[in-house]
Amino acid sequence: MKQKITIKTIAKELGVSTSTVSKALSDSHEISIETKERIRAYAEFYKYKPNSLALQLRTQKTKVIGVVVPKIVHHFFSKVISGIEEVATMRGYNVMICFSNNSYKREVENIEVLTNGSVDGLLVSISKETLENGDFSHFQNLIEDEIPLVMFDRVHQEIDCDKVIVDDQGAGYKATQHLIDIGCKHIAMVTTPEHVTVGSLRRKGYERALKESNIKIDKKLIVEVNEKENLHNEIAQLFEQKIDGIFAVNEIYAAVAIRIAKEKGLKIPEDISVIGFTDGLISEYSSPSITTIVQHGFTMGKQAAELLLDKIENNSGSTGLQTKVISSNLKIRESCIG
């Protein structure tokens, strides 16, 4: 994505303040004709366009916040959105929701649409494709334009904004440790590719639990699922190994693993114990029901919305950046012994 020219860019290149650039572009009498002409020439050459949201933030509010999430159908994100809407409604705001479908291009387009003056700030969970290609320039542009931004769940350390996350490493440790505590010795993991931060952190928790119990980490027991491939076949390769426990980083992967185990004549939990992630309807109504890590998406949504609205209403970056970490808990169901 081509780097966007901002007032800060112009100021830095011409060695003047951002307020001088702003006043020159608005034809203020406080700025000399020579300086105005120099700034306007630079802005015209690089096709500078004023950010309509940034301008609106200085005048009046829309009382609308934008939300960009990766999936349209996902129990966790639906809970997050419910939490966001509760806080927004209480504080007199409406919510505009867009879905990236885990596409970088769609994510960029969503943000461009929302920041055309429609919203006062943004809540975003990063798409898998954006995490994979590592291009965060559209977020950096928001930060440079001083547009209020809070990220939740899928975040990245390169992006300097407020964040609300789950303790994913702690959750991965908690799930794996429970499998160890009930006697599992050969524990497999079904996870996302390494660039997806939440899966990567959950894997670190899984590996830490194994190391502390002196159980060797066997890479053959770790499947990084590429959802563009056949999910059933990718997970099925685990069953070529000796396994007695599975930790899956979402409830769909856990449900598929249980289905494959049944197809192979294995009993859950007598032969294999399974733990998933996200306490959705799939986990609750699968047969057997799935022991799972509860992420508290509703709480995450509330906290993310509070952070964003405080930022909008206080017009502040003065409090510094905040990262709020939400703890998780294990809900025991039929897919685990004990």
Side-chain angles (χ1 to χ4, degrees):
M1 181 178 177
K2 188 178 178 182
Q3 185 68 30
K4 184 179 176 183
I5 297 297
T6 67
I7 284 177
K8 285 185 179 180
T9 309
I10 299 171
K12 183 178 179 182
E13 289 298 319
L14 299 184
V16 297
S17 68
T18 54
S19 64
T20 297
V21 175
S22 182
K23 288 176 182 179
L25 294 175
S26 59
D27 199 26
S28 170
H29 67 276
E30 298 175 47
I31 308 301
S32 70
I33 293 173
E34 181 186 352
T35 301
K36 283 182 189 176
E37 287 178 351
R38 189 160 61 102
I39 290 171
R40 286 174 179 172
Y42 186 94
E44 186 177 344
F45 182 80
Y46 287 102
K47 297 182 172 57
Y48 165 76
K49 291 181 181 179
N51 183 281
S52 55
L53 176 55
L55 292 174
Q56 186 157 0
L57 287 170
R58 297 187 184 98
T59 54
Q60 61 182 13
K61 300 289 192 287
T62 66
K63 303 297 282 188
V64 178
I65 58 175
V67 182
V68 182
V69 293
K71 289 271 191 176
I72 190 168
V73 180
H74 195 293
H75 174 81
F76 171 68
F77 288 121
S78 70
K79 285 291 187 184
V80 172
I81 290 168
S82 295
I84 292 168
E85 288 192 322
E86 179 173 291
V87 169
T89 301
M90 284 175 54
R91 293 178 61 166
Y93 285 76
N94 291 310
V95 179
M96 189 178 295
I97 302 165
C98 294
F99 303 96
S100 67
N101 285 335
N102 278 314
S103 160
Y104 168 80
K105 183 173 181 288
R106 285 285 299 277
E107 183 176 84
V108 172
E109 290 171 350
N110 287 337
I111 289 172
E112 287 177 351
V113 168
L114 290 171
T115 57
N116 68 358
S118 302
V119 300
D120 294 335
L122 288 173
L123 293 165
V124 181
S125 184
I126 309 176
S127 75
K128 286 183 180 178
E129 195 170 85
T130 301
L131 290 168
E132 183 175 11
N133 65 34
D135 183 353
F136 307 116
S137 56
H138 49 307
F139 296 120
Q140 303 298 353
N141 290 338
L142 295 178
I143 293 164
E144 285 185 13
D145 285 337
E146 298 180 353
I147 296 169
L149 171 66
V150 175
M151 292 191 159
F152 62 91
D153 189 46
R154 293 187 198 162
V155 304
H156 198 279
Q157 61 185 10
E158 284 186 23
I159 304 167
D160 294 325
C161 68
D162 293 316
K163 301 177 177 85
V164 183
I165 57 174
V166 172
D167 179 10
D168 284 299
Q169 186 171 158
Y173 178 89
K174 199 174 294 183
T176 309
Q177 188 60 52
H178 181 74
L179 290 169
I180 293 168
D181 289 345
I182 62 176
C184 296
K185 303 291 185 186
H186 308 281
I187 302 169
M189 183 178 189
V190 185
T191 187
T192 55
E194 191 173 349
H195 60 262
V196 181
T197 50
V198 291
S200 177
L201 288 168
R202 291 167 196 173
R203 177 171 174 169
K204 285 180 180 178
Y206 159 85
E207 292 180 344
R208 179 161 65 91
L210 294 180
K211 285 178 183 176
E212 287 184 7
S213 295
N214 296 314
I215 297 174
K216 183 181 177 182
I217 296 168
D218 185 349
K219 291 187 177 180
K220 291 180 181 177
L221 298 185
I222 302 172
V223 169
E224 293 184 1
V225 171
N226 179 352
E227 292 184 2
K228 295 176 184 177
E229 304 296 331
N230 185 297
L231 183 60
H232 183 283
N233 291 346
E234 287 196 274
I235 296 176
Q237 63 186 289
L238 279 178
F239 291 83
E240 297 171 7
Q241 320 297 323
K242 181 180 180 181
I243 56 175
D244 54 12
I246 297 175
F247 168 44
V249 299
N250 65 44
E251 62 181 359
I252 294 173
Y253 295 173
V256 172
I258 288 173
R259 179 174 178 176
I260 295 167
K262 287 182 176 180
E263 289 171 357
K264 294 184 176 295
L266 299 170
K267 294 180 180 179
I268 308 291
E270 291 84 357
D271 297 322
I272 298 179
S273 293
V274 178
I275 295 180
F277 214 103
T278 300
D279 185 28
L281 296 176
I282 293 173
S283 297
E284 186 176 356
Y285 293 110
S286 287
S287 180
S289 58
I290 303 173
T291 294
T292 190
I293 293 286
V294 182
Q295 288 174 279
H296 304 292
F298 186 78
T299 301
M300 176 176 281
K302 288 180 67 175
Q303 292 200 10
E306 291 283 7
L307 266 179
L308 181 65
L309 295 180
D310 287 347
K311 205 172 186 68
I312 291 168
E313 292 176 354
N314 298 332
N315 198 20
S316 73
S318 58
T319 55
L321 299 179
Q322 300 181 61
T323 296
K324 295 194 173 184
V325 182
I326 298 171
S327 61
S328 58
N329 64 281
L330 189 65
K331 183 173 283 188
I332 307 296
R333 292 200 179 98
E334 297 167 345
S335 67
C336 270
I337 300 170

